[in-house]
């Protein structure tokens, strides 16, 4: 029994040099991964440098059609949910306040750069489950397609109440159709055939 009591439970650490070496190695790997990620973002920013700055969020608009609070999940090129747009800070996830009005979509991001999508630049809206590498439950993401400098983009939003997303899809589609009728008078005549000579 005395021999068992004198037996050490674990061997003392005698290879401090090895431990320091492993620690330095792990830190170097982490630093390399971070550097590569940073280089990737810089490369994307350079490639997307031709993208114009989005319009600034207006201080006032007409009466809001819809409002939503939640999170901004990022922006990608339209149809490619992994091709993140980083120019003009569009790739930064943040809290968001959305306002849809007759003029367009106001995107207010308190911790990042806010922007505005005029109604004439809206291209559609849908429910989806992923954008910019971020995945949500089926239909848990509101994706708005819009145009900036001739390039179509997808921006993803996750409302605090995801049940409101359907209303946003409908409202944006209705707003786009209404704007098209105002700017293209020929659409107003489709239900009024020429009755000359009647």
């Amino acid at each position: 029994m005395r021999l068992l009591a004198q037996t050490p439970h674990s061997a003392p650490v005698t290879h401090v040099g090895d431990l320091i070496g492993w620690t330095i190695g792990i830190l170097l790997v982490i630093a390399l991964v971070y550097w590569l990620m940073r280089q990737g973002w810089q490369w994307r920013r350079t490639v997307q440098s031709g993208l114009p700055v989005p319009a600034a969020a207006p201080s006032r608009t007409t009466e809001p059609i819809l409002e939503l609070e939640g999170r901004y999940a990022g922006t990608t090129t339209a149809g490619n949910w992994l091709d993140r747009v980083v120019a003009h800070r569009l790739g930064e996830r943040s809290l968001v306040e959305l306002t849809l009005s007759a003029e367009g979509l106001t995107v207010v991001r308190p911790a990042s750069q806010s922007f505005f999508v005029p109604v004439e630049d809206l291209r559609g809206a849908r429910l989806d489950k992923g954008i910019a590498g971020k995945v949500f439950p089926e239909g848990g993401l509101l994706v708005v397609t819009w145009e900036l400098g001739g390039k179509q983009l997808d921006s993803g939003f996750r409302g605090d109440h995801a049940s409101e997303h359907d209303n946003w899809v409908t409202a944006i589609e209705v707003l786009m159709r209404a704007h098209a009728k105002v700017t293209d008078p020929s659409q107003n005549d489709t239900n009024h055939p020429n009755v000359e000579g009647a």
Side-chain angles (χ1 to χ4, degrees):
M1 294 295 291
R2 178 176 295 179
L3 289 175
L4 289 175
Q6 293 176 348
T7 303
H9 293 288
S10 60
V13 177
T14 56
H15 303 290
V16 177
D18 290 345
L19 180 61
I20 292 175
W22 274 103
T23 302
I24 292 174
I26 291 172
L27 291 175
L28 286 175
V29 169
I30 292 173
L32 177 62
V33 170
Y34 175 79
W35 181 81
L36 289 173
M37 290 174 60
R38 187 175 178 82
Q39 289 299 108
W41 273 68
Q42 292 292 348
W43 175 80
R44 282 181 181 272
R45 188 173 286 113
T46 300
V47 169
Q48 299 164 0
S49 60
L51 204 62
V53 179
S59 56
R60 298 181 64 181
T61 61
T62 55
E63 190 70 20
I65 299 171
L66 282 176
E67 293 178 311
L68 178 144
E69 293 185 359
R71 296 197 66 84
Y72 170 80
T75 293
T76 66
T77 54
N80 188 344
W81 75 290
L82 291 176
D83 188 20
R84 185 195 297 265
V85 174
V86 301
H88 314 303
R89 303 179 69 181
L90 289 172
E92 297 178 1
R93 296 190 178 108
S94 63
L95 295 175
V96 72
E97 298 172 5
L98 284 184
T99 302
L100 183 67
S101 66
E103 289 85 0
L105 181 67
T106 303
V107 183
V108 175
R109 300 191 292 161
S112 189
Q113 186 171 329
S114 301
F115 60 94
F116 176 68
V117 182
V119 62
E120 60 267 22
D121 292 336
L122 289 171
R123 295 294 178 265
R126 69 181 187 275
L127 299 184
D128 214 322
K129 63 178 180 179
I131 195 167
K134 185 77 171 176
V135 179
F136 298 88
E138 187 69 40
L141 188 70
L142 169 66
V143 176
V144 177
T145 302
W146 54 293
E147 188 168 315
L148 179 63
K151 188 178 184 67
Q152 291 202 11
L153 307 175
D154 283 341
S155 291
F157 307 94
R158 169 76 173 177
D160 290 339
H161 304 287
S163 58
E164 299 176 4
H165 292 173
D166 281 319
N167 295 337
W168 276 82
V169 172
T170 302
I172 289 174
E173 295 292 344
V174 169
L175 180 62
M176 288 170 51
R177 287 197 296 269
H179 178 73
K181 286 184 178 181
V182 170
T183 56
D184 185 4
S186 64
Q187 294 194 28
N188 294 327
D189 299 331
T190 56
N191 295 324
H192 302 283
N194 189 351
V195 291
E196 184 177 348

